[in-house]
């Protein structure tokens, strides 16, 4: 008998009508979510505050601290146990000071547990260990395997932990890292010998870890996962004993609770709720739960909240300033159009603005920016230099290059296929100096170039001119052919100028020249028809 069969056998007392009861409960509505209704068997009330994929958005962490503290006050007033949990990718990029500032979020916010994601390793495993050394947060990595020549991270990472709530209840917390981590890193070497189990092995180990927690009398178990939504659904269907999967990695914004979308049933017939709060700290979640005496969910309410609706926390702001220095105000913004939730597949008004700034200040014909390079958003009101620099945590240097029309069209076409890709990768090319239209299959149907004098010219997308050369600005990631965009790769003969800075510096300089207040809005330069 395997581990899973053994588990189901030992828990065969689960009433067969339980799943039906859950279906009956899915009628109550709140302002923002479907819920499973209260049951007279409810015994334990628990509130989870959760966030994932902050990506070093430092201004957002200041607001997230306020959100976490305010949620905690409300939860405790309602008699709920309260946990603050994070599902990975709080860090990103190689900027050490920025990552130190992001790491301070754990202690200031009082995060109980975090499961590292792939971007925690951008700074290398040993530097990640150094950043987490003084953190009070439990660091969870059940499917992480360490080499013999340990870099220190194994001393900090735990497979699981048991949290005792204020009401004396036990909560099991487990963390898993992405099985596809090698596909998400610039260089495998930054893992320094650490490996992550594949999906099947991860699920097998998860079942074993759940059983170990249950032996300790724990019947309420939460998984902090950076596996992504597809794998997280598989875990929900194939591993018994997990009540909630707090997801990450795939940047899904999962609102409410809906059967078959984020409410599943384990092999033992127990409900499993999956959450995710998008990306870049733009949102966070509040999951209100009730459990019966056997640790089964009898009520759930999932609320997604907007981070920018909270004011910055003074302690976090002072902590950040002590690490990064004071950030001067540079302008007064009116944000006419919000950043789209799936920023990979739509025109991004912030990208429009930045691309126009690069085109203007660097005297280019066109500008190309890969959508995934944007890792945050701005807000209406006073804007600081840090608000802008936080959008570009990778710190890629800019290049001015010669780009022929055929390579341009091929690149836009290749990125257009993101519309039908299961992971939405690599994302659309954000542009300046161009407008273009794609059909719903991602095929380029029309492109118009606007020269520096404002004259428009249609580009023949079916027969582009390989001899027509544009002066283009894009960053070193694309110059190296990143995101499998080899047609944008350029060698020395095609490079006109190298700049020792990224898009944030140019954008900050550009904002300082504008009349205040200034606006950011879409102009439909990218259309899906």
């Amino acid at each position: 008998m395997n581990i899973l069969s053994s588990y189901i056998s030992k828990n065969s007392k689960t009433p067969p009508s339980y799943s039906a009861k859950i279906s009956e409960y899915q009628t109550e509505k709140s302002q923002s979510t479907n819920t499973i209704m209260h049951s007279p068997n409810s015994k334990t009330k628990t509130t989870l505050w959760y966030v994932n994929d902050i990506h070093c958005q430092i201004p957002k962490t200041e607001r997230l601290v306020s959100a976490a503290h305010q949620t905690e006050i409300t939860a405790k007033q309602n008699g709920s146990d309260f946990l603050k949990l994070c599902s990975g990718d709080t860090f990103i990029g190689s900027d050490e000071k920025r990552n130190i500032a992001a790491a301070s979020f754990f202690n200031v916010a009082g995060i109980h547990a975090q499961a590292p994601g792939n971007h925690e390793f951008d700074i290398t495993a040993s530097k990640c260990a150094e950043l987490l050394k003084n953190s009070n947060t439990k660091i969870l990595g059940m499917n992480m395997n360490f080499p013999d020549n340990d870099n220190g991270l194994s001393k900090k990472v735990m497979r699981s932990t048991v949290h005792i709530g204020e009401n004396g209840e036990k909560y099991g917390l487990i963390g898993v890292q992405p099985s596809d981590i090698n596909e998400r890193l610039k260089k495998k070497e930054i893992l320094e010998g650490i490996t992550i189990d594949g999906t099947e092995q991860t699920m097998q180990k998860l079942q074993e870890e759940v059983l170990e927690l249950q032996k300790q009398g724990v019947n309420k178990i939460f998984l902090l996962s950076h596996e992504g939504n597809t794998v997280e659904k598989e875990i929900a269907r194939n591993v018994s004993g997990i009540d909630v999967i707090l997801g990450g990695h795939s940047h899904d914004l999962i609102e409410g609770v809906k059967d078959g979308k984020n409410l599943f049933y384990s092999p033992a017939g127990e409900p499993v709720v999956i959450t995710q709060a998008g990306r870049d700290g733009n949102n966070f979640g509040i999951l209100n739960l009730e459990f019966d005496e056997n640790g089964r969910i009898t009520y759930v309410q999932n609320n997604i909240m907007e981070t920018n609706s909270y004011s910055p926390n003074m302690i976090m702001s002072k902590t950040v300033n002590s690490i990064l220095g004071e950030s001067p105000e540079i302008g007064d913004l009116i944000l006419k159009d919000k950043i789209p939730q799936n920023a990979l597949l739509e025109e991004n008004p912030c990208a429009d603005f930045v691309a126009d700034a690069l085109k203007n200040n660097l005297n280019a014909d066109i500008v190309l920016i890969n959508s995934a390079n944007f890792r945050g958003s701005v807000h209406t009101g006073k804007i600081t230099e840090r608000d802008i620099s936080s959008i570009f945590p990778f710190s890629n240097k800019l290049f001015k290059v010669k780009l022929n029309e055929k390579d341009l069209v091929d690149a836009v076409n290749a990125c257009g296929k993101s519309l039908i890709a299961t992971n939405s990768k690599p994302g659309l090319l954000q542009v300046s100096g161009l407008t273009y239209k794609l059909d719903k299959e991602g095929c380029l149907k029309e492109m118009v170039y606007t020269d520096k004098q404002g004259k428009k010219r249609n580009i023949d997308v079916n027969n582009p001119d390989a001899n027509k050369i544009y002066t283009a600005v894009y960053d070193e990631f694309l110059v190296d052919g990143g995101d499998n965009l080899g047609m944008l790769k350029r060698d020395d003969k095609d490079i006109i100028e190298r700049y020792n800075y990224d898009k944030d510096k140019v954008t900050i300089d550009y904002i300082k020249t504008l009349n205040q207040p200034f606006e950011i809005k879409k102009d439909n330069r990218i259309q899906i028809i």
Side-chain angles (χ1 to χ4, degrees):
M1 182 179 291
N2 62 31
I3 292 171
L4 185 53
S5 299
S6 174
Y7 174 86
I8 295 173
S9 175
K10 291 176 182 176
N11 291 272
S12 58
K13 294 181 181 179
T14 302
S17 61
Y18 186 68
S19 295
K21 288 182 180 179
I22 293 295
S23 297
E24 291 170 9
Y25 292 155
Q26 291 178 314
T27 55
E28 183 181 332
K29 302 264 185 161
S30 72
Q31 287 185 334
S32 59
T33 180
N34 298 320
T35 66
I36 299 172
M37 287 181 66
H38 292 275
S39 163
N41 297 320
S42 295
K43 178 178 180 291
T44 303
K45 294 172 66 175
T46 310
T47 295
L48 307 183
W49 184 95
Y50 65 90
V51 69
N52 58 276
D53 296 275
I54 295 173
H55 294 145
C56 237
Q57 293 302 304
I58 305 304
K60 291 292 195 307
T61 63
E62 298 173 29
R63 297 171 186 270
L64 286 168
V65 170
S66 294
H69 289 345
Q70 290 184 38
T71 307
E72 182 172 13
I73 292 169
T74 301
K76 290 183 176 179
Q77 287 174 344
N78 292 333
S80 291
D81 281 339
F82 182 71
L83 289 89
K84 290 171 276 191
L85 304 169
C86 183
S87 296
D89 277 7
T90 303
F91 306 160
I92 201 172
S94 57
D95 188 314
E96 199 161 342
K97 278 193 172 183
R98 192 177 291 171
N99 281 304
I100 291 171
S104 69
F105 166 73
F106 295 132
N107 284 348
V108 178
I111 301 298
H112 292 101
Q114 139 101 342
N118 49 295
H119 283 300
E120 263 68 47
F121 296 98
D122 287 351
I123 50 176
T124 73
S126 54
K127 287 184 179 179
C128 177
E130 186 65 26
L131 281 186
L132 296 173
K133 184 173 63 175
N134 297 319
S135 172
N136 297 324
T137 299
K138 303 291 186 184
I139 307 300
L140 305 177
M142 188 223 63
N143 61 343
M144 193 183 299
N145 307 300
F146 297 93
D148 293 335
N149 54 334
D150 181 38
N151 53 33
L153 197 57
S154 68
K155 297 179 178 64
K156 187 68 178 177
V157 175
M158 312 168 67
R159 291 171 61 86
S160 65
T161 188
V162 177
H163 176 84
I164 309 297
E166 290 193 352
N167 298 322
E169 295 289 336
K170 293 181 180 180
Y171 299 93
L173 305 175
I174 309 174
V176 293
Q177 284 60 58
S179 297
D180 67 349
I181 192 165
N182 289 329
E183 301 170 21
R184 300 301 186 96
L185 300 175
K186 282 187 176 181
K187 296 179 181 179
K188 185 179 178 181
E189 289 73 23
I190 62 177
L191 288 174
E192 298 174 354
I194 293 172
T195 61
I196 306 298
D197 294 325
T199 303
E200 292 298 323
Q201 191 173 10
T202 292
M203 288 196 289
Q204 181 180 350
K205 287 186 176 181
L206 265 175
Q207 191 64 76
E208 294 171 356
E209 197 68 21
V210 168
L211 293 173
E212 288 300 316
L213 288 169
Q214 290 174 333
K215 288 176 183 177
Q216 301 174 52
V218 180
N219 62 11
K220 292 173 283 294
I221 297 175
F222 309 141
L223 174 64
L224 282 61
S225 169
H226 205 77
E227 280 279 19
N229 191 244
T230 299
V231 176
E232 286 152 9
K233 289 178 181 179
E234 288 300 303
I235 292 171
R237 295 186 187 105
N238 290 285
V239 179
S240 287
I242 295 172
D243 299 290
V244 175
I245 300 175
L246 303 171
H249 195 44
S250 51
H251 306 162
D252 293 280
L253 189 69
I254 302 177
E255 300 182 81
V257 179
K258 186 176 181 181
D259 200 0
K261 178 186 176 185
N262 67 326
L263 173 62
F264 296 90
Y265 296 90
S266 74
E270 300 166 322
V272 186
V273 177
I274 300 177
T275 72
Q276 244 194 92
R279 57 179 274 184
D280 303 323
N282 294 328
N283 301 281
F284 63 91
I286 301 172
L287 193 69
N288 294 312
L289 299 156
E290 291 183 13
F291 298 88
D292 66 15
E293 61 182 8
N294 296 313
R296 289 186 291 258
I297 296 173
T298 57
Y299 170 84
V300 59
Q301 182 192 62
N302 181 37
N303 296 304
I304 295 293
M305 312 296 288
E306 191 172 326
T307 302
N308 278 342
S309 62
Y310 290 78
S311 300
N313 174 269
M314 289 182 61
I315 296 175
M316 186 64 190
S317 297
K318 288 182 178 179
T319 302
V320 167
N321 287 338
S322 70
I323 297 167
L324 301 178
E326 296 281 344
S327 186
E329 288 184 1
I330 55 172
D332 190 2
L333 168 64
I334 300 173
L335 185 63
K336 289 286 190 178
D337 296 303
K338 287 186 177 181
I339 310 304
Q341 176 50 42
N342 194 340
L344 293 177
L345 300 182
E346 298 180 48
E347 178 186 353
N348 183 337
C350 185
D352 290 351
F353 182 83
V354 171
D356 288 347
L358 300 185
K359 181 175 178 290
N360 179 81
N361 284 24
L362 301 182
N363 192 29
D365 295 327
I366 61 174
V367 172
L368 307 177
I369 305 175
N370 59 312
S371 288
N373 196 259
F374 284 84
R375 294 289 174 152
S377 62
V378 288
H379 54 85
T380 291
K382 300 297 182 182
I383 295 295
T384 68
E385 290 187 2
R386 188 170 299 134
D387 290 321
I388 302 300
S389 62
S390 291
I391 299 173
F392 305 106
F394 293 110
S395 300
N396 291 317
K397 304 295 190 295
L398 292 170
F399 284 72
K400 184 186 287 184
V401 302
K402 299 174 186 176
L403 181 66
N404 70 66
E405 191 169 274
K406 183 179 186 307
D407 288 343
L408 169 63
V409 169
D410 287 349
V412 174
N413 252 322
C415 290
K417 297 305 179 185
S418 303
L419 292 175
I420 58 173
T422 55
N423 60 1
S424 302
K425 297 292 180 69
L428 304 182
L429 275 177
Q430 307 289 331
V431 297
S432 182
L434 299 170
T435 61
Y436 67 87
K437 296 179 181 180
L438 300 164
D439 66 20
K440 292 181 180 179
E441 299 297 311
C443 295
L444 183 60
K445 309 304 291 184
E446 180 182 314
M447 180 182 283
V448 177
Y449 164 64
T450 303
D451 67 20
K452 294 171 184 175
Q453 288 72 46
K455 185 178 179 181
K456 298 182 182 296
R457 181 177 68 82
N458 288 325
I459 294 175
D460 185 349
V461 297
N462 297 312
N463 189 28
D465 185 357
N467 295 313
K468 172 63 178 175
I469 304 298
Y470 299 89
T471 299
V473 165
Y474 47 89
D475 65 29
E476 61 184 317
F477 179 74
L478 294 180
V479 166
D480 289 338
D483 273 338
N484 295 315
L485 298 175
M487 71 288 290
L488 294 180
K489 189 172 184 177
R490 287 295 175 267
D491 54 27
D492 287 344
K493 71 178 184 345
D494 294 319
I495 294 173
I496 300 170
E497 192 166 356
R498 294 176 170 86
Y499 302 94
N500 193 33
Y501 43 79
D502 197 4
K503 294 167 280 292
D504 55 339
K505 178 188 181 303
V506 182
T507 306
I508 289 167
D509 291 343
Y510 180 68
I511 290 172
K512 290 177 180 178
T513 68
L514 300 177
N515 294 326
Q516 302 295 330
F518 68 99
E519 291 184 349
I520 289 181
K521 60 183 179 180
K522 293 194 298 186
D523 58 13
N524 296 316
R525 64 185 66 180
I526 301 173
Q527 296 183 42
I528 314 299
I529 58 175

